Amino acid sequence: MQGKTQISSNIRNTVVGAFSVLLLSTSCINTNDVDQYIDTNSGKGLNVTVTEPIDRDYPQIKQEGTLRMITRYSSNTYFLHQGLEWGFEYELVRKFAKEHDLALEVVVVGPNENPYDLLNSGKGDLIAANYAATQERKQYVNFTRPYNLVDQVLVFSEGLGNPPQTIDEVVERKIPITVRRNSSYFYRLQNLRDQGISLETNEVANTKDTESLLFDVSKNEYLATVADDNIFNASNKYMQGLVKGPTIAQSDTIAWAIRNNASDLETELNRFLYKHFRFGNAGEEPKRSTFLNVLRKRYFESGQQIAEYYNPDASSRGSGVISPYDDLIKEVADSVGVDWLLVASIAAQETKFNPNSKSWAGAVGLMQVMPRFSEVSNEEELFDVRTNIKEGVRIIKDHLEHYAYMDSTNKWAFALAAYNAGPGHIADARRLAIDHNKDPNEWENVEDALLKLMQRKYYKDARYGFCRGIETVRYVKEITNRYKTYESVLTMAERNNSGTGPGVMGLFN
């Protein structure tokens, strides 16, 4: 949570230039407009700048307790809807993290960020974004065993008239195929040209994603593009004007990208994926687990609610970017000088934005306010969303003021811990840290002390007794991780509102 106020300010004040669509011939590339992923020296590649990965493998991840997932904000990777986190990749990685007792941090790739650099620099631990395991990508990263097989298909606009049925017909009619320069689709088209199949292409900036290109094709802005068959099937549920064409590649393997020196992590991920996806005998469909089949159905086959949410023409997307209560949370939090995104992160952690929630311990409402700590005498009033948010913000504000002498990172960590476990247990943990000659104003020391308070030899002498410290430690970690993701999502939404965002959904292949 380092420097949250400063981070938030810096992100929101970043000047993001408009992304221009580049229509380039196959024989001429305007190097002044080439996207950052392109290696301008060779004319190909991913322009990776961090080629030596840091030393961070599964033991270090396990010790820290957090797995960092690099992904795109998209309908099949990761997105927010009504305050809840969704996405095929997100749910699959989250299951792995849960089975290994790891908190999951989502790192959303920004417009000027290279996912391979994020991975190799240690800002993330795996790229989970529907990536095909191509030879170009294997120059910089390793891939896990696959968890999906897809076909690449040509997709035409209905406005083309009498869409081609074969690749030869596409060549004969000289129909330009619009693709991104660093996509697996581009390299497949290049391979076909090397085989003497003279397909014409339009190359666009890599800020364009697969589904935004499909959307452009559906509006007849481009005549053709390429998509994985599962992405086409999902998009075709809400985009009108698309026609599926011939297949240009079969059985591309979709896998997670990891650092090439993370062998232990690769082993753990492969063990997990083996339980969910195995190749069958020759000519047979792969064997998928029930869980994986549920995800496939939800996001690619029959997830109508997903299609309705992402339909660019939909008018009922809710009142906020993060949750249905964004405006109200922002109003209340801003009135007392508290970061509203952190308040939203607390509400997501506590109740997943359910205003009618009541815990076994008696905490009620959106922010899980304990009536005995509330200034509202009538418990029923705490189920009113505005009242509950005001009380929750008042309580977190009191905790922040109590730790006001700390730096922003520690102040927020201690305030969140007190909100979860109560100030008494936090005071016990700080005293225990002092007993071990550690600074009680550093969260990592108190974090360790909270875990010790689960052991009798430590909690028997504590003023407030036993503390389920592991829950509080996880609580602080997960809210911190969620806050970082919310910042990225909010920034992306602001770019989209200004017309500079990457597209409809952000799917890359």
Side-chain angles (χ1 to χ4, degrees):
M1 203 179 301
Q2 184 175 3
K4 286 304 177 188
T5 302
Q6 187 62 43
I7 289 174
S8 179
S9 175
N10 288 345
I11 288 180
R12 291 186 180 87
N13 291 331
T14 299
V15 178
V16 183
F19 296 128
S20 300
V21 175
L22 311 178
L23 295 180
L24 307 174
S25 71
T26 58
S27 60
C28 178
I29 296 178
N30 180 352
T31 56
N32 292 324
D33 291 331
V34 169
D35 185 86
Q36 64 163 343
Y37 287 15
I38 299 174
D39 186 336
T40 53
N41 294 322
S42 65
K44 62 171 63 177
L46 303 175
N47 199 27
V48 175
T49 60
V50 182
T51 57
E52 293 295 328
I54 69 158
D55 185 14
R56 176 178 163 85
D57 205 345
Y58 182 75
Q60 290 76 32
I61 294 169
K62 185 66 175 177
Q63 182 178 9
E64 182 185 297
T66 299
L67 179 71
R68 304 186 186 114
M69 164 189 169
I70 301 168
T71 193
R72 302 282 180 180
Y73 192 76
S74 70
S75 70
N76 91 322
T77 53
Y78 172 83
F79 66 96
L80 302 175
H81 181 39
Q82 298 297 301
L84 302 182
E85 295 167 297
W86 298 84
F88 177 93
E89 299 284 358
Y90 170 73
E91 292 202 47
L92 190 58
V93 177
R94 183 182 63 180
K95 187 172 182 64
F96 170 84
K98 185 175 181 180
E99 289 182 4
H100 290 74
D101 196 28
L102 294 168
L104 179 60
E105 177 180 345
V106 179
V107 180
V108 178
V109 180
N112 299 312
E113 293 179 321
N114 185 312
Y116 308 99
D117 287 340
L118 292 175
L119 178 67
N120 285 329
S121 65
K123 294 180 180 178
D125 298 312
L126 76 162
I127 302 174
N130 198 68
Y131 270 16
T134 65
Q135 291 302 315
E136 291 76 20
R137 289 165 176 165
K138 289 178 180 178
Q139 297 178 53
Y140 307 106
V141 297
N142 279 348
F143 282 91
T144 63
R145 61 178 292 116
Y147 54 91
N148 201 8
L149 294 177
V150 297
D151 295 340
Q152 292 185 20
V153 298
L154 293 177
V155 182
F156 304 112
S157 168
E158 278 188 352
L160 181 63
N162 191 24
Q165 302 298 310
T166 65
I167 296 177
D168 289 341
E169 191 176 349
V170 177
V171 173
E172 182 181 344
R173 294 172 61 177
K174 296 183 178 181
I175 298 170
I177 303 169
T178 302
V179 291
R180 296 184 330 280
R181 179 61 176 79
N182 76 324
S183 65
S184 59
Y185 310 140
F186 172 85
Y187 289 109
R188 177 55 183 161
L189 293 174
Q190 187 178 55
N191 290 338
L192 291 174
R193 287 198 297 271
D194 292 342
Q195 296 171 26
I197 302 174
S198 302
L199 292 164
E200 294 189 13
T201 62
N202 285 329
E203 298 172 26
V204 298
N206 286 324
T207 51
K208 274 284 188 181
D209 58 74
T210 303
E211 275 174 293
S212 63
L213 282 176
L214 286 171
F215 188 54
D216 290 342
V217 170
S218 75
K219 296 187 296 182
N220 204 31
E221 293 183 10
Y222 301 121
L223 295 179
T225 190
V226 184
D228 289 344
D229 56 354
N230 61 341
I231 297 176
F232 169 80
N233 291 337
S235 302
N236 199 41
K237 292 181 182 301
Y238 69 88
M239 294 184 193
Q240 297 181 349
L242 297 177
V243 178
K244 187 176 181 180
T247 298
I248 63 170
Q250 291 183 323
S251 299
D252 277 354
T253 56
I254 303 300
W256 292 332
I258 56 174
R259 286 179 290 273
N260 57 28
N261 61 351
S263 57
D264 291 340
L265 177 61
E266 182 178 6
T267 297
E268 295 296 332
L269 292 171
N270 283 342
R271 285 174 179 167
F272 169 79
L273 291 173
Y274 182 74
K275 295 186 298 183
H276 297 284
F277 184 94
R278 304 180 193 178
F279 290 106
N281 296 323
E284 292 182 349
E285 281 288 310
K287 295 178 173 60
R288 295 179 172 89
S289 69
T290 300
F291 176 75
L292 194 59
N293 278 326
V294 167
L295 293 187
R296 280 163 49 85
K297 184 174 182 180
R298 178 178 299 159
Y299 292 101
F300 296 116
E301 296 173 10
S302 62
Q304 189 60 34
Q305 74 278 12
I306 306 295
E308 289 175 356
Y309 174 65
Y310 273 100
N311 188 334
D313 298 322
S315 59
S316 57
R317 290 197 178 189
S319 59
V321 175
I322 304 301
S323 78
Y325 306 105
D326 283 7
D327 292 341
L328 185 54
I329 292 173
K330 191 173 190 302
E331 174 192 336
V332 175
D334 286 354
S335 69
V336 296
V338 174
D339 190 326
W340 80 273
L341 277 182
L342 274 163
V343 175
S345 300
I346 294 171
Q349 183 76 17
E350 293 284 358
T351 64
K352 295 184 178 178
F353 299 100
N354 178 6
N356 300 313
S357 179
K358 184 172 183 176
S359 76
W360 64 269
V364 301
L366 195 76
M367 300 285 291
Q368 288 293 273
V369 175
M370 293 293 288
R372 67 177 180 272
F373 297 135
S374 174
E375 294 181 351
V376 176
S377 58
N378 185 349
E379 179 178 321
E380 289 303 313
E381 292 181 17
L382 288 173
F383 286 101
D384 174 73
V385 175
R386 177 181 288 274
T387 301
N388 193 276
I389 292 173
K390 288 179 68 174
E391 282 298 283
V393 168
R394 180 189 62 79
I395 293 169
I396 195 69
K397 174 73 170 178
D398 286 346
H399 292 318
L400 286 168
E401 290 178 347
H402 182 75
Y403 302 109
Y405 55 90
M406 299 180 180
D407 62 58
S408 61
T409 302
N410 285 304
K411 179 174 66 175
W412 264 108
F414 278 94
L416 289 171
Y419 193 91
N420 175 255
H425 286 306
I426 306 307
D428 279 346
R430 297 183 71 194
R431 283 190 289 267
L432 185 55
I434 293 173
D435 291 344
H436 286 77
N437 297 314
K438 294 182 178 180
D439 185 351
N441 295 331
E442 291 292 330
W443 171 245
E444 63 180 16
N445 298 331
V446 176
E447 183 179 52
D448 180 64
L450 280 167
L451 297 176
K452 285 183 168 65
L453 285 175
M454 297 177 66
Q455 304 174 40
R456 188 178 186 282
K457 67 177 180 178
Y458 294 113
Y459 73 70
K460 68 182 178 63
D461 297 322
R463 183 174 301 174
Y464 291 89
F466 173 84
C467 176
R468 193 173 286 108
I470 191 171
E471 292 186 1
T472 302
V473 169
R474 176 66 62 84
Y475 181 88
V476 173
K477 189 184 299 290
E478 290 187 348
I479 288 180
T480 302
N481 294 342
R482 182 176 287 108
Y483 175 82
K484 294 175 183 177
T485 304
Y486 282 1
E487 279 192 317
S488 300
V489 170
L490 186 64
T491 302
M492 186 175 297
E494 290 172 350
R495 291 199 308 271
N496 286 338
N497 288 339
S498 65
T500 59
V504 180
M505 298 195 196
L507 286 172
F508 284 71
N509 196 349

